[in-house]
Every structure is written in C-alpha cells, then in structure tokens.
C-alpha cells in the first residue's frame, strides 16, 4: 500500500478529485431499480485515465526524464488517506472524503512521480460534528461505529462485489438498489449544496435513472456488455443471465 510499490522511486503524490453529481435521482416505480449516481454516465476510470495521461505528459515536458504514473482505482494505493494528507478534505463518519464545497460526490485519482513537489498541508479538522445522519440512515446497519464500515453489510459491496447470493437477513435492506448505494451521501448535510453538472461524461445515459429491470433478464452476456459497455455498470456480473 506504499507509493513505492506503485511507482519505484516515488517522492511525491498529486491527489485529484473530480465531482460527479448531475441531476437528482428520480423515484423508482415497481419493476425499476436504483443505480448509484457514479455509474449513471461514462465509466469514470476511462474519463479520468485520459486526464491523468495528459497531466503526466505535461509533467514530463516540464521536467525531462521525470517518471510519472496516474492511477484511479487501479493500484494498491490508499487514495482516501493521501487525499486527506494533501488537504483535499477530511474523512467523514461515512468513511468518505468530504470537502466543504464539493461534499463527498467525488472520484479520487492520483499522479505519482519521482519529482519532489511542494507539499500541501494536511486537512486536520473534521467538520462532521455531532451529526450521525449517515450512520442512522444506512439500510443494512453497515456502520459499526463512526468512521468504521463493515463492508460485508454495505449495499455497494452486496450488489457489486459479492459473488454469491446476498445473505437473507440483509436482503430487505437492499430495497430497490441494484448497483451500489447512495444513502449515506444523500443524507449528508455537506452534500446539500454540492454543485451539479448539466453536461459532460457523468450525465446519465438513457434509462439509468432509474433502471428498467425486466429487460435485463433477456440479455445474454454479449448483449449485456453491448448495452452497458461505456459505463461502470458493466462491472456487475450477477445480472447476466
């Protein structure tokens, strides 16, 4: 989990955040399911990877011979902790990075380099105060205590990563979530005024807010990949018939 393991000779990390909230979620009806906002549009890995490549090229042009590597969820790097150390925000009780202006609707990415840059100050203060909205609202009681998440109970894990049926005691808490979960972010006061984007790669593609479910059962793997090839939703294996 050390930068040296991601880029040998690393001396600096440039931490970046991209805000992704767009329109508000529409209420789902019977036969529809909710998808986490981050998966409504293009796959953020592809979007951010292109920007990281451009940033690395800029650094190499400014410092000939410099080594640089951009990563976004693709390397053993604790982006959240490094984001706090770089001053991007504080770790909230829901275990996500929170920024006063942007809230927690953020994708995190990093550029590692062997160039020694001027370091920013860590974000030392926490601004969650006595608020427990995220802890109280979790449908599956996934928070053991503030700042501690039991991933085995988290709806995002249960609907994306778990490779077996969801444990029966947790199924009721999933409600109509079929991919990810936004509950702990939707109730966070810091997200009430987070800026929204009206255009760009994270704007919902057709029929993702919400998602019609019946037609998914008729898709084989090839058809599923063809329909969802440009988004993060393509990661889910359990919906392939």
């Amino acid at each position: 989990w050390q930068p040296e393991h991601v880029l040998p000779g690393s001396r600096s990390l440039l931490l970046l955040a991209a805000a992704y909230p767009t329109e508000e979620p529409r209420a789902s009806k019977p036969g529809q399911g909710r998808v986490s906002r981050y998966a409504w549009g293009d796959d953020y890995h592809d979007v951010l990877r292109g920007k990281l490549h451009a940033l690395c090229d800029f650094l190499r042009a400014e410092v000939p011979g410099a080594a640089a590597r951009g990563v976004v969820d693709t390397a053993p790097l604790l982006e959240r902790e490094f984001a706090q150390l770089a001053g991007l925000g504080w770790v909230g009780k829901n275990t996500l990075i929170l920024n006063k202006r942007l809230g927690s609707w953020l994708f995190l990415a990093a550029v590692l380099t062997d160039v020694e840059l001027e370091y920013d100050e860590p974000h030392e203060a926490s601004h969650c105060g006595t608020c427990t909205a995220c802890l109280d609202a979790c449908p599956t009681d996934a928070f053991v205590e503030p700042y501690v998440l039991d991933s085995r109970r988290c709806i995002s894990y249960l609907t994306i990563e778990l490779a077996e049926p969801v444990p029966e005691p947790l199924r009721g808490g999933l409600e109509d979530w079929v991919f990810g979960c936004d509950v702990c972010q939707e109730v966070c006061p810091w997200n009430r005024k987070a800026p929204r984007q009206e255009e760009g790669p994270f704007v919902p593609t057709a029929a993702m807010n919400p998602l019609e479910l019946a037609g998914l059962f008729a898709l084989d793997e090839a058809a599923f990949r063809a329909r969802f090839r440009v988004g993060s939703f393509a990661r889910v294996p359990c919906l392939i018939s």
Side-chain angles (χ1 to χ4, degrees):
W1 300 98
Q2 297 299 317
E4 177 71 23
H5 298 158
V6 180
L7 179 72
S10 295
R11 301 181 70 184
S12 302
L13 283 84
L14 178 63
L15 273 295
L16 307 111
Y20 63 84
T22 52
E23 63 186 53
E24 289 299 304
R26 303 187 186 100
S28 62
K29 301 176 182 179
Q32 297 178 328
R34 284 186 289 175
V35 174
S36 183
R37 298 187 193 196
Y38 84 86
W40 284 357
D42 293 349
D43 191 331
Y44 70 94
H45 297 91
D46 297 334
V47 174
L48 298 184
R49 191 175 292 117
K51 297 179 182 297
L52 292 172
H53 287 166
L55 191 54
C56 288
D57 289 342
F58 171 79
L59 176 61
R60 297 186 190 102
E62 291 293 311
V63 186
R69 179 185 176 185
V71 296
V72 50
D73 286 354
T74 54
L77 191 71
L78 296 175
E79 288 100 335
R80 181 189 64 182
E81 280 69 18
F82 285 117
Q84 187 272 328
L85 290 173
L88 282 180
W90 72 97
V91 178
K93 293 180 183 178
N94 62 0
T95 73
L96 301 174
I97 277 288
L98 277 161
N99 178 279
K100 277 189 172 183
R101 186 174 65 87
L102 301 174
S104 64
W105 304 108
L106 300 170
F107 295 127
L108 296 179
V111 169
L112 298 88
T113 179
D114 60 356
V115 178
E116 185 170 347
L117 303 175
E118 183 177 344
Y119 302 141
D120 291 303
E121 293 297 321
H123 195 296
E124 300 287 3
S126 173
H127 301 284
C128 290
T130 60
C131 178
T132 59
C134 57
L135 312 182
D136 300 335
C138 180
T140 53
D141 295 322
F143 292 104
V144 178
E145 58 185 78
Y147 312 105
V148 180
L149 174 72
D150 182 350
S151 63
R152 298 167 300 177
R153 300 183 65 89
C154 178
I155 293 176
S156 289
Y157 168 77
L158 295 172
T159 57
I160 301 175
E161 305 295 341
L162 184 64
E164 57 190 50
V166 175
E168 188 169 350
L170 299 176
R171 293 177 187 176
L174 267 65
E175 299 176 347
D176 55 354
W177 289 103
V178 296
F179 186 90
C181 178
D182 291 331
V183 171
C184 69
Q185 298 194 81
E186 289 174 342
V187 301
C188 177
W190 287 105
N191 282 328
R192 291 174 184 166
K193 296 183 179 180
R196 300 289 190 267
Q197 304 175 48
E198 296 183 358
E199 58 183 21
F202 304 136
V203 170
T205 54
M208 289 299 283
N209 176 29
L211 178 68
E212 296 288 344
L213 300 179
L216 299 180
F217 293 98
L219 301 178
D220 59 17
E221 183 168 354
F224 184 91
R225 299 301 176 194
R227 177 176 173 182
F228 299 107
R229 66 185 182 278
V230 297
S232 299
F233 190 76
R235 290 185 58 204
V236 65
C238 59
L239 294 180
I240 301 173
S241 59

